[in-house]
Structure formats: C-alpha cells, structure tokens
Amino acid sequence: MISTSLLPLESPTPAYICPIDQVCSYLEAAARELKLDQGIVEVLSNPRKVVTVSIPVKRDNGEVQVLAGHRVQHCDILGPYKGGIRYHPAVTLREVSALAMLMTWKCSLLGIPYGGAKGGIAIDPKRYSVGELERITRRYISELIKDIGPAVDIPAPDMGTSAREMAWMMDTYSMNVGHAVPGVVTGKPLSIGGSRGREMATGRGVMIIVREALADLGKSLEGVRVAIQGFGNVGSAAALLLHQEGAKVIAVSTGSGGVFAEVGLDIPALKAYAAANHKSIVGFPQGVSISNDQLLTLPCDVLIPAALENQITEENVNQVQAQIIAEAANGPITLEANLALEARGVTVLPDILANAGGVVVSYLEWVQGLSYVFWDEERVNREMEQLMVQAYRQVIQQSQMRQIPLRLAAYTLGVGRVAQALSDRGLYP
Ligand code: NAD
C-alpha cells in the first residue's frame, strides 16, 4: 500500500483505524483505475507541508496550558489551499492529514480552483470559556501567519468551530498584516464579508445530492425516512432542509444521545430545543431516546452520518438497513464496511461529493470578497446547486462508463484532474 512517509506514526490501539491509510487506499484504487504513473501517485500521497505549532494559553484560573495546533497543506496544484479547522479531542496529525487530502479531491471533483488543507487542535471546546477559545484561536493563527492568506491557504469552519472563530481568525490575520483581509477565511459572519447561504451550505448540498440520488431511483424526498447522526452545523441544516422538502426525519443523534419518532421529528422544534439546551437534544419531548449505535442501524431509507469518522465499521455494517447512505461527515465509513455495503448494493454517496456544498459556498464567498460584489442568498444557492448537480451527474456517468462504484468514480474524477494538472505543470525544479 502507498503511504505518507512524511507523517510520524501515532501509537495505534488494536481498534485504531488510521484515517490517512484509508484515504491513501482510495487514492491507490483510483490510481490503478486511471493507470497513473507511480511517481505522480507518490507525490499525491504526501502532503506538501505539515505544520505543528505550540499554543500556550492562559486559562481563566491563571494556569498556563500548552496545546498543539496542526495545519496540513496537501496540494496546491490547482490553486490556494482550502480547508476547515477542527476543534475536537480526537484531532491528530494523521487525521488532519487525511482530511487535507480529502479536500484536494473534493475541490477538484467540484471544479473549484483550490487545493486541500485541514487544521485542528485536540481540545473539547465545551471545556473552555469563550475568552479562552478566543485566546487559543488568535495564538494559533498568529503562529500560522506566514502559512495562510487569501492567495495561499484559506481556513474555514469544521467540527467545533463556526463563524465566531472565523471572525477572530480574520481579525488576527488582518491586525498582523496591518489592513483588513476578509479573503483569508471563509464561513465568516455577514458583517465582515461572509456569504449569504454559507451556514446552511453543507447541509443544503447533502439534501441536493440525496434528492438527485432518489430521483435516479424514481423516487422523491416526499415521505422518505431519514436518520441523521450529528445535529451540529451540517446535520441540523440537512435535517431542516430535508424536513422542509417533505422527508420524514425519524431520528437524530448527538454525542450525548439521540431521539426517534416513527412519524417524523418536528425539526424546527428540535432545533429550538437544542438551542435552549446547550446543543443537547436528549429529553426532546416529541420522541423517544435512542443511542447513537441504535440510530445507525434503524430501519430507514436514507442514513446520513454527519458527525465523526469511522462510524460504520465491520462491527455494525451488517445491521445497517438504509438503502442510501449520504456521507455528510468526512470518512464516516471504514474501508471494510464500504466494501460490504458496495457488495450489498447499498448506494453510498461519498463524502467528497455529498458534503461539498460547504466548500462550494466558501469558494463563492471568496469570489464575492475578491470582486467586492455580494450576492443575495437565492443567487448563492442557485450557483451552488448548479455545481453540486453537475458534479453528481459526472460521478454517475463515470460510474456507469467504467462500471465502478460511486466512491471510486468520484475519486477517479478528483484525483485524475489533479494528476493531469501535475503532469501539465511538471515537477519543480
Ligand atoms: P459540529 O461540531 O457543528 O457538529 C458535530 C455534531 O456531531 C454535533 O451534533 C455533535 O454532538 C455530534 N457528535 C460528536 N461526537 C459524536 C458521536 N460520538 N456520536 C454522534 N454524534 C456525535 O460539526 P460539523 O461542522 O457539523 O461537522 C460534522 C462533520 O461534517 C465533520 O465530519 C466535518 O468534517 C464534516 N463537514 C463539515 C463541513 C462544514 O461546513 N461545517 C463541511 C464539510 C464536511
């Protein structure tokens, strides 16, 4: 198997599923299908730059804690690096590297002139005050000041970060360079150049791809039973939009448990409940409690994992009953589970397609910022939908033409375009 020789090994436990090995396996499969030159594959399987910085932070009680912050820049052959910043206890350098590589293929698949990057700090943001989070964010960005910029690397929100953190990042970068630079991050508040439609974008993209996949099966969203793991930025937006389109969202879960209602959950009421209960949906009166494990194996038509990696594994894949799985999260299905699902004929809508709505609208935000012309939400949604549907059609066509599963089809398109660009540009020097 190809490997990323640049990265240090982390001490694997028996249950450890290394995300970078998984992403490299998909790259390897795409390279085989495309008969790519081995040298090109070697280049593409390694990140171009791996940065780890030390973040000393003074806690509110006066103690000093030192955190590690990562930024991995995988490939900038097609344009500036682009990718989210994650605040989650499970963040590791290898995970960030896998997510950076996924971003490269995602941008390429969607026809967006960006390369892939990802960043993260291994913290549970719930255990830090707003002031502490601001100090952590500002110090992290100060340490990365020479590695980011609107033409270099453009961070965005991911798990545990939102428009609030993007505003702190934009301000920190701007104060350091001496003038306002809105284009250094996307997913910003509207007041400083954010795009309308960005907050719902990833969830909207998931809804669009599920709708297209159902249409290809001769079905519509009306009455379709959906289960969603994760009720954060992506999961809650997907739930609301699917609900508005007539789907029955029968179950939703978060890190602390989930709720189920056979008749379909009232998603606006659930969102209001979560907003009033520190993002928890446990105890929502219009449903019964279920665990995360139960959610994944419920009888439903569409399953949307929208939380973490490695949620559908060899252990539970045989109990998964959905006929369509849309990967709203990055890497929620392990390699082995993916093979089992493909063998069973389950439609797996791969992450680099299904959750690309966020990066598409980030791109549209960047374009608006660079041109100083801002669009209304209807235009943003329309342009995003056009790119998402176009990418979906290309993946279906590729899958049919080569007789390969959707994930491999998406990878062959994403990887193939980057490989072509690398071969056209040539190796420097
Ligand atoms: P978020 O932090 O807003 O929400 C994460 C959700 O997952 C929360 O509801 C949390 O309670 C839940 N969760 C955490 N641990 C869980 C567990 N063990 N079991 C079940 N649920 C758990 O994050 P987000 O921005 O919605 O991102 C979710 C996923 O989508 C990530 O994989 C991220 O990389 C991917 N993604 C996000 C974006 C974006 O625009 N935010 C874009 C593309 C992909």
Side-chain angles (χ1 to χ4, degrees):
M1 189 202 272
I2 52 176
S3 65
T4 46
S5 46
L6 272 186
L7 297 175
L9 279 175
E10 279 150 8
S11 51
T13 61
Y16 181 74
I17 301 169
C18 180
I20 188 73
D21 288 349
Q22 299 214 69
V23 183
C24 279
S25 295
Y26 292 133
L27 166 61
E28 197 177 19
R32 253 197 323 270
E33 179 69 27
L34 295 168
K35 301 188 175 50
L36 289 185
D37 176 83
Q38 191 52 32
I40 286 190
V41 181
E42 278 296 318
V43 175
L44 297 181
S45 49
N46 283 285
R48 177 154 175 216
K49 197 169 189 179
V50 177
V51 186
T52 297
V53 297
S54 167
I55 307 168
V57 57
K58 191 174 263 185
R59 303 290 308 253
D60 291 343
N61 63 8
E63 272 173 29
V64 173
Q65 187 184 0
V66 181
L67 304 165
H70 307 295
R71 184 72 178 167
V72 175
Q73 298 171 330
H74 173 251
C75 168
D76 67 346
I77 288 165
L78 295 177
Y81 299 106
K82 183 88 191 83
I85 305 252
R86 179 176 287 199
Y87 290 175
H88 190 276
V91 162
T92 65
L93 189 54
R94 292 181 84 79
E95 181 200 60
V96 172
S97 305
L99 295 169
M101 192 189 284
L102 271 184
M103 280 303 291
T104 301
W105 315 139
K106 191 183 300 182
C107 294
S108 162
L109 173 63
L110 270 289
I112 297 173
Y114 284 144
K118 204 79 179 188
I121 306 176
I123 51 167
D124 180 352
K126 289 198 287 298
R127 296 180 178 275
Y128 291 80
S129 70
V130 173
E132 289 170 339
L133 287 172
E134 180 170 355
R135 292 197 287 281
I136 292 167
T137 304
R138 287 184 180 279
R139 182 62 187 255
Y140 173 54
I141 290 301
S142 306
E143 295 294 338
L144 291 177
I145 213 84
K146 292 198 172 72
D147 296 298
I148 61 172
V152 184
D153 183 353
I154 308 145
D158 194 78
M159 279 190 88
T161 59
S162 64
R164 181 183 67 178
E165 285 74 17
M166 296 308 116
W168 293 333
M169 290 180 193
M170 179 270 188
D171 185 65
T172 303
Y173 185 85
S174 301
M175 294 312 284
N176 273 271
V177 299
H179 56 94
V181 188
V184 66
V185 291
T186 58
K188 303 178 288 291
L190 282 179
S191 62
I192 49 172
S195 177
R196 291 178 202 287
R198 174 61 183 88
E199 217 173 293
M200 300 288 282
T202 309
R204 182 176 296 280
V206 172
M207 180 275 287
I208 291 168
I209 297 298
V210 169
R211 185 196 67 202
E212 294 298 303
L214 284 165
D216 279 350
L217 297 171
K219 297 180 184 167
S220 77
L221 282 171
E222 191 65 42
V224 156
R225 290 169 314 154
V226 184
I228 304 181
Q229 183 197 44
F231 201 59
N233 185 328
V234 180
S236 68
L240 185 64
L241 293 164
L242 286 161
H243 174 81
Q244 285 169 355
E245 295 293 321
K248 246 195 322 182
V249 181
I250 58 167
V252 166
S253 70
T254 66
S256 46
V259 286
F260 166 79
E262 182 64 50
V263 292
L265 292 160
D266 178 343
I267 299 299
L270 186 61
K271 276 194 82 157
Y273 182 87
N277 289 280
H278 307 288
K279 299 190 181 173
S280 173
I281 56 173
V282 176
F284 180 62
Q286 297 165 35
V288 295
S289 289
I290 52 163
S291 69
N292 252 307
D293 294 346
Q294 286 172 313
L295 179 133
L296 295 171
T297 56
L298 279 176
C300 62
D301 304 303
V302 180
L303 174 62
I304 303 182
L308 296 170
E309 294 95 72
N310 301 330
Q311 297 301 297
I312 301 175
T313 66
E314 265 179 309
E315 306 285 304
N316 62 4
V317 66
N318 290 334
Q319 283 95 59
V320 171
Q321 301 188 53
Q323 255 318 295
I324 296 180
I325 304 178
E327 291 186 318
N330 286 307
I333 302 176
T334 65
L335 218 56
E336 294 75 15
N338 187 60
L339 285 175
L341 291 168
E342 281 173 6
R344 266 170 41 199
V346 174
T347 302
V348 177
L349 300 163
D351 44 14
I352 58 171
L353 173 67
N355 70 27
V359 74
V360 169
V361 176
S362 274
Y363 165 63
L364 299 176
E365 176 177 333
W366 184 70
V367 167
Q368 292 171 76
L370 291 178
S371 59
Y372 298 94
V373 176
F374 293 90
W375 309 339
D376 62 18
E377 187 164 349
E378 195 262 322
R379 173 158 179 204
V380 174
N381 291 345
R382 193 178 63 237
E383 303 253 356
M384 185 264 260
E385 175 148 356
Q386 203 177 327
L387 285 172
M388 292 295 292
V389 172
Q390 174 180 293
Y392 172 80
R393 289 276 147 244
Q394 289 172 349
V395 170
I396 296 294
Q397 244 176 25
Q398 179 85 328
S399 160
Q400 288 169 350
M401 192 180 77
R402 290 182 178 268
Q403 292 292 298
I404 53 178
L406 296 183
R407 188 188 309 278
L408 185 53
Y411 265 74
T412 53
L413 289 169
V415 172
R417 290 169 187 163
V418 178
Q420 183 61 50
L422 175 59
S423 144
D424 290 343
R425 279 181 63 164
L427 263 195
Y428 179 84

